[in-house]
Amino acid sequence: MAAPFSGRDDGAESLPRGRVIGRLRRFFALARERRRFEAEMAEEMADHLVRRSADLEADGWAPSDARRRARLEFGSVEGFQEACREAVWLHLLDELWRNLRHGVRVLFRNPVLTSTVILTLGLGIGVNVSIFSLLDAALLRPLPYSAAERLVVVETHFGQDGVSASGNLYQNGRTWEALAGSVQQLDLAVFSDGSSGVNAVVDGRAEYLQQQRVGAGFFRVLGVDPLIGREFTAREDVPGGPRLAILSHRLWQHLYLGRSEVLGRTLQLRGEPYEIVGVMPADFRTGVDADLWTPLRPSLRGEGEGANYMILGRLRGAATLDSASDEVRAIGAPALEALRIPAGRQAWLGLESLQRGLGREAGSHLLLSWLAAWLLLGVCSFNVTGLVLALAARRSAEMATRRALGGGRGAIVRQMLTESLVLCALGGGLGILLAAFGVRLAGAFLASLLELWQPIALDARALAVALLLTLFALLVTGLYPAWVSARRHARHDAIRVARRSLSSRRVLVTAQLALVVALLVGAGQLVRTILHLQDLTPGFNAEGLVAATVSLQDVRYRQPDAANRLLQSVAARLNDDPAIAVASAGLNLPYERPLNLSFVWGAEEEGKITNLSYVTPGYFEALQVPLLDGRYLDTRDDAPGAATAVVNAAFVHTYLGDREPLGTSLRIAGAERSIVGVVSDTRQTPGWGENEPLGHRAAVFISLSQTSAPFLELVHGWFEPSWVVRPRGGGVNVEERLRAAVSAIDPQLPIAAVRSMDAVRDQVLARQRLQASLLAAAAGGALIIAAVGLGGLVAASVAERRREFGIRLALGASPWSALGEAVLPGLRLAVFGLVWGLPLAVALAYGLRAFVHGVGPWDAVTYGWVATLLAIAAGFASLLPALRVLRFDPARLLRSD
C-alpha cells in the first residue's frame, strides 16, 4: 500500500522549479493534502483487495469466496486507515517539533541577529496594535452600552439633490421641540456634547468640577441605570426646574467616601444648593470626563436659539435606521426652514450611528496614523527579511549538506518557515507587551483628548490584530528566504548564493528607504504645519503673559455688576503689586475658540455671525494688542450711557469694507452699540466657517459692565473668563500672586487653570501635535531601522569584496579610495530609495491636505530636509561598517584566499 505522506521529496533534484511552489502550497493547505491522501489510501487498499482476490481465484476459489477471504486476511479497513492517519500526523508533529528545536538552537547561536529581528518586529507590531486600539475605541468596538448598535444621533445634512456633502450633529431647540414626543420609532434624549467648569463648596473647601448637562432620559436611552438613585425626569428637566445633580462614581468616592446615604443630600454648586439624586457606575463614561451631570433644561431661547444641542436616540422595537431616518426627516423638515441655506443647496435631518457620528473626527486622524504604522511595519518586515536572508546565506553549506544527504526542498522550506515562525511569534509577543505598556501609560490621556465614549483597552480584538500582523510578518519575512534557501543545492555554489542574497537584500533595502521617504515627507508636512502655526504672528505680545481662568457659572456672579466687581477687584490688587505691570480680564483668550453671536446693522432683520468677547479696562493694554483707529475700551465704558464696542481689522474687512468704522452702530448682545475703536487681529480657533486652526476672524469686544444678566448666564455656561497678567520682568511668581489676589476677594472661588499663553496655544493645537508626533515617531523609527538594514548590507558587501579590496591595496591603491568604494553602494541605494519613494511621498502629501496648513504638497523645505536626513543616515550607516577597509592587511587577505 502507499506509504504515509511524509512531506519528504527524495527526487527533488530532478523536479522542475514550479514543484517547489506546489510543495509550499501543500504546506499551507494540509486539509487539501489530507483529502488527497485519503483518496490515494482508499484507492491503494481497494487495489490490494482486488489483486488478492484475483490470486485466490487463480488458485481455484470461487469469486465470492475469494473476495471474502481477501477481506478477512486484510482485516479492518477502517482500523488500518486510522493507523495510517495517526502515522501521518504523528510524523508531521514530530517533524514540526524537530524543526522547532533545531530552529531555536540556530537562532540562539546568533543572538545579535535574533535580538535585532525580535526588536524590529516588536516595534512594528506594537505600534500597529497601539494605533488599532485607539481606532477600535473610536470606530470599531461597540460602545459599552446595552444594544449599542441601536443607538443613533440626529444629524443635519447639507447637500444637493439628496446627496449629502457635509453634516452637522449639533441641533437647536427648535429641532428638539419638533422631534421630542413626535418620533414614534425612537426613544430620544437631548444632551450637551461637552463639559463646563463649575464651582463647588464641600465642607468649606472650594472645588473646581467638570459638569455635563443632559436632558431627561439620557441615561435611559443609553441603557445605563444609576448605581444608586435615579436620573432626571421630564418634569424636572424644564426651565425653572429643581436643582439636581447626579455624581460620577469617582466624585462620589472623593467627596462622600462611597456612602449610600448621599442621596437627598445637597451639594453647594454654582453658589446654589443642588440635591443629589443619583450616582453613576464606576465604568460609566461619555465623550467628556465629567464629575457630575445636571439637567440641560432645553428651550427655544438662549443657547437653544443656536445649534448647541445634540440629540441621542435608540431605535424602538422593529424600527431600522433607514425607516427611523425617514421619519425624522419628515417630522423635522419645518424646523430647518429658519436656517439660512445658500441658493441651490438643501438641508435635511437624518440619523447616524452614535459611534460613527461621534468618532468621525477622531477616526480621520487615527486612520492616517494607522497608515503610517503600516508603512512602519512594512519597513520592519523588509528589514527582517534581509536579516533572515543574511542568516540563510551563512547557512548555505548546511543546506547543501542536507540536500546531499537526501533532504528534499520541501523539508528545507518547512525548516526555514519554522524558524521564521519562532522569530515572528517572539516579535509579536514583544509587540503586544509594548502596546499594553503604551495603552496603559497614555490611554486615559488619549481617550480624553480624542473625546472617546469608551476607554482605550488592549482586548481580544487587539490581540487578534496582533496575531494577524504576526502572520503577515511571517508571510513577508519567511516565504522568500525559504524559497531562496530551497534553491541552494551545491557547496561549490556558495559565492553565487552570497551574491544572490546581497542582490535580494539591496532590493529590500531600497524598498525600505522608499517607504521611509514617504513617512518622512508625511511627518515633515505635519511638523512643518505645527511650526507654521507656532510661528504665526499672534497679534499680541505673548512673552511673559500669564492667564488665570475661573468659572463664573455661579449665582453670585449672575449680574454684570457682581461679575465686573470681581474681575476688576482682582485685577486692581494685581496692578497694585510692584512686580506686576498690568492685569485685566476678558471672556476669551487669544488662540481659544470664541463665542459666536449674530448681529444686525440698524434696521436690518437678517443677522450676520461674528465673534464676541466682553473685556474689562486695560485688557488690550495687557495683551499689547495694537490700536489701529479710535480708542480702547476703558473706564468711560463702565459708566451708564451709550453702549460701545471695539472691533478688529478682520471685522472691518469682512463687514464694513470702505465704510468708516468709527461711529458705526450695530446691534449685538441685546443692545445698540457704537464702534469707538479698531484693534489689530489676534489668532483664534475657528468657531464656524474656516478650518484653519489659528486664523484671523471678525471679532467684536464690549465692556462687561454693558452686558445683561441673561447674556452672562448664557455665555458663562459655555465659556470661562480669564485674567491676563503681565509681570514687569522674569522670575516673578505670577501664579502665587494670582491665587492670593483671588482668595482675598472670594475665598470660595477656585481657579480652574493658570497657564502661559504658549501653553494655551499648545492646548488648542493638541490634536495636531499628537498626529504630528505619531507620524514623526513612526518616521524616525523607520529611518533608524532602514539605516540598520543598510549598514548590515554594506558590512556584507565589504566582507564579500575583501579579496577585491586586498588586491587593490596590494597594487598601491589608497586606503581612503578603498573606503570610498565601500561606502558608495550604500549611498547609491539611498539615492534609489529617494527616487522610488518620491511618488509615494507626493501621493501621501496630497492625501494630507486636510491636515496640513501653511505648507503645500511640494514644499521644498520638507523635501530638502527629507533628502538631508536620508543622506546623513545613509552616510553614517554606510561609513561605520566600511571603516573595516582601513584595517585590511592585503598580504593576509591574499594568503587567506
Side-chain angles (χ1 to χ4, degrees), residues 484 655 877-878:
V484 170
Y655 295 120
S878 302

Side-chain angles (χ1 to χ4, degrees), residues 845-864:
Y846 272 97
L848 288 173
R849 283 179 296 176
F851 306 99
V852 172
H853 304 277
V855 183
W858 292 95
D859 180 56
V861 175
T862 299
Y863 289 97

Side-chain angles (χ1 to χ4, degrees), residues 552-563:
L552 292 191
Q553 191 181 175
D554 195 308
V555 67
R556 296 174 298 161
Y557 302 111
R558 187 171 296 170
Q559 297 298 324
D561 289 345

Side-chain angles (χ1 to χ4, degrees), residues 242-256:
R243 294 183 291 272
L244 308 173
I246 297 175
L247 306 184
S248 69
H249 192 276
R250 179 184 62 239
L251 186 64
W252 178 46
Q253 294 289 336
H254 172 63
L255 296 184
Y256 301 102

